[in-house]
Short mmCIF file of all heavy atoms in Angstrom, two decimals:
data_model
loop_
_atom_site.label_atom_id
_atom_site.label_comp_id
_atom_site.label_asym_id
_atom_site.label_seq_id
_atom_site.Cartn_x
_atom_site.Cartn_y
_atom_site.Cartn_z
N LYS A 1211 -17.29 -18.59 -0.70
CA LYS A 1211 -15.94 -18.77 -1.22
C LYS A 1211 -14.97 -17.80 -0.51
O LYS A 1211 -13.84 -18.19 -0.14
CB LYS A 1211 -15.91 -18.46 -2.74
CG LYS A 1211 -15.49 -19.66 -3.57
CD LYS A 1211 -15.37 -19.26 -5.02
CE LYS A 1211 -16.47 -19.90 -5.85
NZ LYS A 1211 -16.64 -19.39 -7.20
N ALA A 1212 -15.45 -16.59 -0.31
CA ALA A 1212 -14.62 -15.56 0.37
C ALA A 1212 -14.26 -16.02 1.79
O ALA A 1212 -13.11 -15.91 2.22
CB ALA A 1212 -15.34 -14.23 0.38
N ARG A 1213 -15.26 -16.56 2.47
CA ARG A 1213 -15.00 -17.04 3.86
C ARG A 1213 -14.01 -18.20 3.83
O ARG A 1213 -13.13 -18.33 4.69
CB ARG A 1213 -16.31 -17.43 4.56
CG ARG A 1213 -17.23 -16.25 4.82
CD ARG A 1213 -18.36 -16.62 5.79
NE ARG A 1213 -19.46 -15.67 5.73
CZ ARG A 1213 -19.50 -14.50 6.33
NH1 ARG A 1213 -18.47 -14.10 7.04
NH2 ARG A 1213 -20.56 -13.71 6.20
N ALA A 1214 -14.19 -19.07 2.83
CA ALA A 1214 -13.28 -20.23 2.72
C ALA A 1214 -11.86 -19.75 2.43
O ALA A 1214 -10.87 -20.32 2.97
CB ALA A 1214 -13.77 -21.16 1.61
N ILE A 1215 -11.71 -18.71 1.62
CA ILE A 1215 -10.38 -18.17 1.30
C ILE A 1215 -9.72 -17.62 2.58
O ILE A 1215 -8.56 -17.92 2.87
CB ILE A 1215 -10.47 -17.06 0.24
CG1 ILE A 1215 -10.75 -17.68 -1.13
CG2 ILE A 1215 -9.23 -16.20 0.21
CD1 ILE A 1215 -11.08 -16.66 -2.19
N ILE A 1216 -10.50 -16.89 3.36
CA ILE A 1216 -9.95 -16.32 4.61
C ILE A 1216 -9.52 -17.44 5.57
O ILE A 1216 -8.38 -17.39 6.12
CB ILE A 1216 -10.95 -15.36 5.27
CG1 ILE A 1216 -11.18 -14.14 4.36
CG2 ILE A 1216 -10.49 -14.91 6.64
CD1 ILE A 1216 -12.35 -13.26 4.73
N ALA A 1217 -10.35 -18.46 5.67
CA ALA A 1217 -10.03 -19.57 6.56
C ALA A 1217 -8.77 -20.29 6.06
O ALA A 1217 -7.87 -20.62 6.82
CB ALA A 1217 -11.22 -20.53 6.66
N ALA A 1218 -8.73 -20.57 4.73
CA ALA A 1218 -7.58 -21.30 4.17
C ALA A 1218 -6.28 -20.52 4.34
O ALA A 1218 -5.22 -21.08 4.61
CB ALA A 1218 -7.86 -21.60 2.70
N MET A 1219 -6.37 -19.19 4.18
CA MET A 1219 -5.17 -18.40 4.30
C MET A 1219 -4.68 -18.34 5.77
O MET A 1219 -3.48 -18.34 6.03
CB MET A 1219 -5.40 -16.96 3.77
CG MET A 1219 -5.33 -16.87 2.27
SD MET A 1219 -3.72 -17.34 1.62
CE MET A 1219 -2.66 -16.04 2.29
N LYS A 1220 -5.66 -18.36 6.68
CA LYS A 1220 -5.28 -18.36 8.12
C LYS A 1220 -4.54 -19.64 8.44
O LYS A 1220 -3.51 -19.64 9.13
CB LYS A 1220 -6.53 -18.24 9.00
CG LYS A 1220 -6.90 -16.79 9.27
CD LYS A 1220 -7.87 -16.67 10.43
CE LYS A 1220 -8.33 -15.23 10.55
NZ LYS A 1220 -9.75 -15.10 10.83
N GLU A 1221 -5.08 -20.72 7.91
CA GLU A 1221 -4.47 -22.04 8.13
C GLU A 1221 -3.04 -22.07 7.55
O GLU A 1221 -2.11 -22.54 8.16
CB GLU A 1221 -5.30 -23.09 7.39
CG GLU A 1221 -5.64 -24.32 8.25
CD GLU A 1221 -6.59 -25.21 7.48
OE1 GLU A 1221 -6.12 -25.92 6.59
OE2 GLU A 1221 -7.81 -25.13 7.77
N SER A 1222 -2.95 -21.53 6.31
CA SER A 1222 -1.68 -21.55 5.62
C SER A 1222 -0.64 -20.70 6.37
O SER A 1222 0.52 -21.04 6.50
CB SER A 1222 -1.89 -21.12 4.19
OG SER A 1222 -0.87 -20.35 3.71
N GLU A 1223 -1.15 -19.56 6.89
CA GLU A 1223 -0.23 -18.65 7.67
C GLU A 1223 0.25 -19.37 8.93
O GLU A 1223 1.43 -19.28 9.28
CB GLU A 1223 -0.98 -17.37 8.02
CG GLU A 1223 -0.07 -16.28 8.55
CD GLU A 1223 -0.85 -14.98 8.81
OE1 GLU A 1223 -1.81 -15.01 9.60
OE2 GLU A 1223 -0.50 -13.97 8.22
N ALA A 1224 -0.71 -20.06 9.57
CA ALA A 1224 -0.32 -20.78 10.81
C ALA A 1224 0.75 -21.83 10.51
O ALA A 1224 1.59 -22.11 11.37
CB ALA A 1224 -1.56 -21.41 11.44
N ALA A 1225 0.70 -22.36 9.30
CA ALA A 1225 1.69 -23.38 8.92
C ALA A 1225 2.97 -22.72 8.34
O ALA A 1225 3.83 -23.42 7.83
CB ALA A 1225 1.08 -24.33 7.90
N GLY A 1226 3.00 -21.40 8.38
CA GLY A 1226 4.22 -20.70 7.96
C GLY A 1226 4.29 -20.40 6.47
O GLY A 1226 5.32 -19.98 5.97
N ALA A 1227 3.17 -20.56 5.76
CA ALA A 1227 3.19 -20.30 4.30
C ALA A 1227 2.41 -19.01 3.99
O ALA A 1227 1.50 -18.62 4.73
CB ALA A 1227 2.56 -21.47 3.56
N GLY A 1228 2.80 -18.35 2.87
CA GLY A 1228 2.12 -17.10 2.50
C GLY A 1228 1.06 -17.31 1.45
O GLY A 1228 0.11 -16.54 1.33
N ALA A 1229 1.20 -18.36 0.68
CA ALA A 1229 0.21 -18.64 -0.35
C ALA A 1229 -0.31 -20.07 -0.15
O ALA A 1229 0.29 -20.84 0.57
CB ALA A 1229 0.84 -18.51 -1.72
N ALA A 1230 -1.45 -20.36 -0.73
CA ALA A 1230 -2.04 -21.70 -0.54
C ALA A 1230 -2.82 -22.06 -1.80
O ALA A 1230 -2.94 -21.23 -2.73
CB ALA A 1230 -2.95 -21.67 0.68
N ALA A 1231 -3.32 -23.26 -1.83
CA ALA A 1231 -4.19 -23.67 -2.91
C ALA A 1231 -5.56 -23.94 -2.33
O ALA A 1231 -5.70 -24.53 -1.26
CB ALA A 1231 -3.65 -24.91 -3.60
N LEU A 1232 -6.57 -23.47 -3.03
CA LEU A 1232 -7.94 -23.76 -2.61
C LEU A 1232 -8.73 -24.16 -3.85
O LEU A 1232 -8.73 -23.40 -4.84
CB LEU A 1232 -8.57 -22.52 -1.94
CG LEU A 1232 -9.98 -22.69 -1.41
CD1 LEU A 1232 -10.01 -23.65 -0.21
CD2 LEU A 1232 -10.59 -21.34 -1.00
N ASP A 1233 -9.34 -25.31 -3.80
CA ASP A 1233 -10.05 -25.87 -4.97
C ASP A 1233 -9.19 -25.83 -6.21
O ASP A 1233 -9.65 -25.45 -7.32
CB ASP A 1233 -11.35 -25.07 -5.21
CG ASP A 1233 -12.30 -25.12 -4.05
OD1 ASP A 1233 -12.24 -26.16 -3.31
OD2 ASP A 1233 -13.06 -24.16 -3.83
N GLY A 1234 -7.91 -26.13 -6.05
CA GLY A 1234 -7.03 -26.23 -7.20
C GLY A 1234 -6.56 -24.87 -7.73
O GLY A 1234 -5.94 -24.79 -8.81
N LYS A 1235 -6.83 -23.78 -6.99
CA LYS A 1235 -6.40 -22.46 -7.47
C LYS A 1235 -5.53 -21.78 -6.43
O LYS A 1235 -5.72 -21.95 -5.22
CB LYS A 1235 -7.62 -21.56 -7.72
CG LYS A 1235 -8.43 -22.03 -8.92
CD LYS A 1235 -9.54 -21.04 -9.23
CE LYS A 1235 -10.45 -21.64 -10.28
NZ LYS A 1235 -11.84 -21.62 -9.89
N LEU A 1236 -4.57 -20.99 -6.94
CA LEU A 1236 -3.67 -20.24 -6.04
C LEU A 1236 -4.45 -19.14 -5.30
O LEU A 1236 -5.24 -18.41 -5.92
CB LEU A 1236 -2.53 -19.61 -6.84
CG LEU A 1236 -1.64 -18.70 -6.01
CD1 LEU A 1236 -0.56 -19.52 -5.31
CD2 LEU A 1236 -1.04 -17.59 -6.82
#
Side-chain angles (χ1 to χ4, degrees):
K1211 241 185 250 168
R1213 292 193 199 280
I1215 286 171
I1216 294 168
M1219 281 299 294
K1220 271 196 187 139
E1221 227 174 78
S1222 142
E1223 192 176 59
L1232 182 68
D1233 299 332
K1235 291 186 188 127
L1236 174 85

